[in-house]
Amino acid sequence: MPRPRMFALLVALTPSSAYAVDVISGRPDSGPWEQVSVRVGGFVQPRFDIEQADDAAGVDGDIGFSVSQARFEFGGDLEGAGGSRLDAGWLLSVELMPEARLNDAYVDLGVAGVPVSVRLGQLKAPTGRAFLTSDKYSLFPELAEMVEWIPTRDIGAMLHSTLGRNHVEAEVGVFNGEGTNRLSNVNRHFLYVGRLVISPLGGPGTGRELIRDNDRLPRFSLGGSVHRNVIGDVGLEEGALGLDGEFFLHWRWVNVQSEVIWRSVDYQDIAVSDYVQRGWYAQMGTFVAGVPWFQDHVALMGRVEQGDSLFAAGVPAAGPTDPTQASRSVAFGGGLYAGRPWYTDVSDLRLVVTYTLKEELEGFPIDDDRFDALVSMTF
């Protein structure tokens, strides 16, 4: 059996009490692969939260410590031999909180020189920018609430391609449409998803929400995605059509991101009311320019979000906790990022503190503002 030669094996004890292991492999002694690399890692995100309690509105609030993410990841790449070589890659990731569950389990297959690859297994459906960004590279401790409306990870197949310096990003996928860790498709329908992003000047791609570099040109992206899904048994089917528009701008210390989401949900049973979900958010994260140490390690952030997760024409909200009530939130805060010389990536170790002001828009106010403090360690 071929045995790869190890170029490096780094084991470091991090402040999160988790071991960081980087394994970089080289040329196997024999076999079909010219180059083999293996990666082992993950991230841990302990946090402290306070949410106001409003007895009059029936909201209990929350206070305490938690671990929002504890992720273990194992992946790698296989580079084939020859001129028209076949390359492959894989990723397995397991979330350990609040219980162990599989997140990602897929393989990537591509041919050298061909700008399109196929990804098979359980993976992220390409339904929106914020969701496609890894949790270890997000700006805020929590994603915008409307991200929960769209399909997330599912089992299926996806074609994906990147052209130039991320001048074009494109993904087209077909999935079971049943969600994460469902063993099979329970009906004869599929989830169909497509996404296209254009960056005229090139850009950083869909990887992170906070970037720090000295690029003199502003890099911006415009894109959108569409999904169609049908779930449920015959006679009780629920169909959803969703559209997502996205914008991203990066220039030196400044990062701006926005999305608009619209979804229509229709029920086959005429006794159940159809509804629409609609919302938007805009956020900015910027390092503090002009002060040498701060512009590399301290970032300020803000986000405005407004949405209605259950809009039904002519059906007003009946109370403070009625899900038909539209809402708006304004979140702001700051982050302390270790970065170099201690860590390679600016997001490897960070402390983020935010406060969120929440406002209900249909006459039933709730005192449920929120404070979050998150430490994120990537290893």
Side-chain angles (χ1 to χ4, degrees):
M1 178 177 294
R3 187 178 183 84
R5 294 191 296 270
M6 302 301 179
F7 287 159
L9 175 59
L10 171 63
V11 181
L13 183 62
T14 70
S16 63
S17 298
Y19 282 98
V21 181
D22 247 350
V23 180
I24 305 176
S25 305
R27 295 173 178 269
D29 294 330
S30 61
W33 306 110
E34 182 73 17
Q35 190 84 8
V36 177
S37 63
V38 177
R39 299 180 300 274
V40 179
F43 57 95
V44 180
Q45 294 181 338
R47 61 191 295 170
F48 178 74
D49 309 300
I50 302 175
E51 185 180 59
Q52 286 181 287
D54 190 338
D55 295 334
V59 176
D60 295 332
D62 183 38
I63 182 171
F65 296 94
S66 63
V67 177
S68 59
Q69 304 275 354
R71 190 77 52 81
F72 175 78
E73 298 176 339
F74 173 71
D77 298 294
L78 306 173
E79 183 180 299
S84 58
R85 66 175 192 265
L86 174 67
D87 296 335
W90 77 91
L91 176 65
L92 296 174
S93 72
V94 178
E95 175 59 48
L96 303 175
M97 290 295 292
E99 67 278 326
R101 63 185 183 275
L102 182 67
N103 265 10
D104 301 287
Y106 63 77
V107 297
D108 260 324
L109 299 174
V111 177
V114 178
V116 179
S117 300
V118 60
R119 183 169 294 179
L120 305 163
Q122 179 164 286
L123 55 130
K124 286 185 174 183
T127 49
R129 186 179 190 95
F131 171 64
L132 290 176
T133 301
S134 172
D135 292 324
K136 58 189 172 186
Y137 299 131
S138 60
L139 183 62
F140 281 83
E142 297 285 350
L143 299 179
E145 290 186 7
M146 68 186 65
V147 177
E148 299 177 0
W149 303 348
I150 59 180
T152 55
R153 287 176 171 87
D154 215 312
I155 298 175
M158 180 180 73
L159 294 175
H160 60 102
S161 177
T162 300
L163 300 178
R165 185 188 170 187
N166 298 308
H167 285 82
V168 178
E169 298 175 71
E171 299 103 7
V172 178
V174 180
F175 304 86
N176 285 341
E178 304 296 336
T180 308
N181 294 334
R182 299 292 297 272
L183 298 180
S184 63
N185 190 9
V186 301
N187 57 29
R188 300 184 64 84
H189 299 286
F190 291 95
L191 164 65
Y192 301 95
V193 186
R195 177 175 177 260
L196 177 66
V197 179
I198 305 295
S199 303
L201 302 177
T206 306
R208 55 188 65 212
E209 297 181 352
L210 186 67
I211 305 167
R212 165 71 175 96
D213 62 32
N214 293 316
D215 198 335
R216 297 289 178 175
L217 290 176
R219 308 287 181 174
F220 67 94
S221 304
L222 286 171
S225 62
V226 58
H227 67 267
R228 173 64 177 167
N229 193 23
V230 178
I231 61 175
D233 299 326
V234 176
L236 299 173
E237 292 178 353
E238 173 187 338
L241 174 65
L243 302 173
D244 179 292
E246 64 178 73
F247 170 79
F248 185 80
L249 168 69
H250 165 64
W251 182 56
R252 303 191 72 182
W253 299 278
V254 179
N255 303 269
V256 177
Q257 179 172 309
S258 181
E259 285 186 81
V260 178
I261 296 177
W262 178 92
R263 293 183 80 239
S264 175
V265 180
D266 301 314
Y267 291 94
Q268 190 174 16
D269 185 352
I270 60 174
V272 182
S273 298
D274 303 333
Y275 65 91
V276 169
Q277 296 176 307
R278 56 187 187 181
W280 60 270
Y281 76 85
Q283 68 183 39
M284 183 178 72
T286 177
F287 285 93
V288 181
V291 183
W293 191 87
F294 276 59
Q295 69 186 14
D296 293 322
H297 301 284
V298 177
L300 302 177
M301 58 195 67
R303 180 171 69 201
V304 179
E305 175 185 3
Q306 182 169 320
D308 193 339
S309 63
L310 196 60
F311 175 77
V315 182
T321 58
D322 192 325
T324 65
Q325 184 169 209
S327 63
R328 179 190 300 124
S329 67
V330 178
F332 54 90
L336 181 62
Y337 296 78
R340 294 184 182 274
W342 304 289
Y343 293 89
T344 302
D345 191 276
V346 71
S347 294
D348 282 349
L349 177 61
R350 58 188 168 113
L351 166 65
V352 177
V353 177
T354 62
Y355 193 86
T356 304
L357 301 169
K358 299 182 181 181
E359 179 184 2
E360 287 67 41
L361 302 179
E362 297 186 28
F364 296 98
I366 306 173
D367 292 326
D368 58 348
D369 295 346
R370 185 177 182 91
F371 168 84
D372 297 279
L374 172 119
V375 174
S376 180
M377 164 64 70
T378 301
F379 57 88

